[in-house]
Amino acid sequence: MFVLVNLKTYPCDPVAVAEAVRDVNETTDARLAVAPQAAHLERVAETGVETWAQHVDPIDYGSNTGHALAESVAEAGAVGTLINHSEQRMKLADIDGSVQAARRADLETVVCANNPAQIGAAAALGPDAVAVEPPELIGTGTPVSQADPDVVEDAVDAAAGVDSEVSVLCGAGISTGDDVVAAGELGAEGVLLASGVAKADDPTAALEALVDPL
Ligand SMILES: O=C[C@H](O)COP(=O)(O)O
């Protein structure tokens, strides 16, 4: 299972969480990575953890202000990027542009979507993976695998119907090892989570509990 920890803009210490992700990754067959804010990418990547960006823009070098250029994100140490998170929503054409920009910079891509219909559209853009996240469950601690398991299974079917090479992750409310196992049983190849680790008093313990049953 791929466990991608999005730090969003939570007021955690990104380097401390990154070190916890790096160290717990050494103890498990699961693949763990962390997505800090853009301003923290370089410091996080220096820990040796697998580092992802939270966003890249559909732009190239040039006259753009306030954007995240895929090449700069890669130079800062990221190996992948989220695109179209529910908290950073994009138009379909711009999602397509960001996937292409990420590919140009050799960044792995996870395109997020709210529901299975959107997952089908996202998969058609040829990312490495898609992540289904019902927005109403984000940050609630109620896992999507429990509250709405059909969403995960339907997302897996929708992606497979478009492109069987595209992996499916699920996210929203995931905070325990049982949640991760349940996601896998529904067909997801990974999970996208944030508050369960970024807001934990002890991120290492939270991560260890996440991967323990895997
Ligand atoms: O990117 C992560 C997702 O929005 C899930 O967030 P959450 O784990 O706090 O529910």
Side-chain angles (χ1 to χ4, degrees), residues 179-205:
D179 299 343
V180 182
V181 169
E185 288 171 351
L186 293 167
E189 294 180 50
V191 294
L192 176 60
L193 63 100
S195 49
V197 171
K199 293 175 77 175
D201 291 336
D202 183 345
T204 299

Side-chain angles (χ1 to χ4, degrees), residues 113-120 123 130-133 149-162 166-170 186-188:
N114 293 354
N115 57 48
Q118 291 179 22
I119 285 288
V130 291
V132 64
E133 291 203 313
D150 289 352
V151 160
V152 182
E153 289 182 317
D154 292 349
V156 170
D157 289 345
V162 172
V166 176
S167 307
V168 178
L169 317 185
C170 68
L186 293 167

Side-chain angles (χ1 to χ4, degrees), residues 4-8 10 82 85-87 112 133 137-142 171-175 192-197 199:
L4 179 51
V5 180
N6 178 6
L7 301 186
K8 303 195 175 182
Y10 284 122
L82 296 172
H85 193 279
S86 184
E87 296 153 0
C112 304
E133 291 203 313
L137 294 176
I138 291 175
T140 61
T142 300
I174 291 171
S175 64
L192 176 60
L193 63 100
S195 49
V197 171
K199 293 175 77 175

Side-chain angles (χ1 to χ4, degrees), residues 14-104:
V15 171
V17 178
E19 289 171 342
V21 173
R22 176 199 64 195
D23 292 347
V24 174
N25 184 59
E26 294 297 314
T27 70
T28 174
D29 289 337
R31 171 190 173 193
L32 272 63
V34 65
Q37 295 177 52
H40 300 154
L41 278 172
E42 205 151 349
R43 283 197 297 140
V44 162
E46 281 169 1
T47 68
V49 74
E50 181 178 330
T51 304
W52 280 55
Q54 295 180 9
H55 171 76
V56 296
D57 283 297
I59 56 159
D60 207 333
Y61 287 101
S63 183
N64 306 287
T65 301
H67 288 71
L69 176 68
E71 282 80 355
S72 301
V73 161
E75 279 169 27
V79 299
T81 184
L82 296 172
I83 293 169
N84 191 46
H85 193 279
S86 184
E87 296 153 0
Q88 178 63 285
R89 295 186 189 190
M90 303 171 74
K91 295 177 183 170
L92 190 62
D94 291 336
I95 299 170
D96 190 18
S98 287
V99 169
Q100 291 178 35
R103 192 175 298 135
R104 199 180 61 216

